[in-house]
Structures are given as structure tokens and as C-alpha cells.
Amino acid sequence: MKYFKPDFELQHFSEITATWLQQNNIRTIFSDLDSTLAVHDQHGDEDVEKWVEILKKENVQLVIASNNSQERVDRFCKPFGIIGFGKCNKPSPHRVNQHMKDLQAQPETSLFLGDQLLTDIWCGKRLSIRTALVHPIGQEHEPIQIVLKRKIEAWIKKRW
Ligand SMILES: [Mg+2]
């Protein structure tokens, strides 16, 4: 079960600061959307806005990689001027890998950020990039299939 252990465990995405990015030499962040950056199917808030500004200042590219629809991703991305891909089919690495190639992101300086072990972290592991697990935002709004996945995740975490 150690296989699923992320490189970093964070409470919130805002713990990824300018200093943190420099220390860990991160140039590209592939991030999940729902429960990672915003409540499921909701807009990003001021925290996202501030964080995106920090990333832009640090010249770090943020790329949303979501299993939700492209419409959902576009609605989220537009106000912040960031790019994002829906229907990524995580934990399969194929689509995200293609986006990595298109964006010329280097595996050594890339990070996968997400709230789910069995989609986000597993996808990052299969891409051989570093991974950061965040505590889910707005857990009480999550659909039933995700609630069930959380139980499996808890089982895995106990066995790290
Ligand atoms: Mg999520």
C-alpha cells in the first residue's frame, strides 16, 4: 500500500507557496479540480485567485486535469485565465501524459495535486511525477460514489 503514498500531504492548496515551489523545484502543476481547488461543481473563491497570482509570479504553469466535463473545467478556468482539461480519465495516465507532452512539461519539475488517492495520486504515480494529496474541500457536498471511495482510501492510508 506504500505505493499510493503521496510525496506531500497538505491540508490545503494554499500551503503551496512561492518558497515551497522554489524549494521543491516545481515548474508545472497538474491539478484536480473538484474538492481540490473548489467545492464540487462550484466556482473558485478568493483563495484560488490569490494562489493563481502567486503561481503566475513564480512562472509556474497550472493545468487543471479533471475527470469532470470540459464545460465544468472551462467555467472554472475562465475567470482566472488558466488552462484545463476535462474527461482526463484518471487514474489512467494516457490523457494527462499527452497534455504533458503538448505543454512540454518535464516530469522532474512537475507535480500532480489532488484530493483522491485512487484517481489523482495514482495517476501521478503512473506518470512518474511527484504527487501532493490535499484534504478535500467541502467534503459534505460530494456525490455518493466519492464517499464510498473515501472509505477505501482510509483503509489504504492505515496500511502505509
Ligand atoms: Mg477531486
Side-chain angles (χ1 to χ4, degrees), residues 82-94:
I82 55 175
I83 59 165
F85 303 101
K87 297 252 170 275
C88 281
N89 206 22
K90 299 171 289 184
S92 162
H94 302 300

Side-chain angles (χ1 to χ4, degrees), residues 100-117:
M100 273 185 82
K101 281 190 183 147
D102 294 344
L103 296 162
Q104 296 182 320
Q106 301 303 310
E108 304 77 32
T109 54
S110 295
L111 176 77
F112 207 108
L113 174 70
D115 68 295
Q116 287 194 59
L117 282 181

Side-chain angles (χ1 to χ4, degrees), residues 32-36 90 114-116 119-120 142 146 150:
D32 172 52
L33 172 48
D34 292 301
S35 304
T36 294
K90 299 171 289 184
D115 68 295
Q116 287 194 59
T119 48
D120 307 314
E142 288 179 335
I146 296 180
R150 299 270 176 230

Side-chain angles (χ1 to χ4, degrees), residues 65-71 73 85-90 95-96 99:
S66 171
N67 281 357
N68 208 330
S69 66
Q70 188 63 49
E71 292 73 34
V73 173
F85 303 101
K87 297 252 170 275
C88 281
N89 206 22
K90 299 171 289 184
R95 290 197 181 152
V96 181
H99 298 315

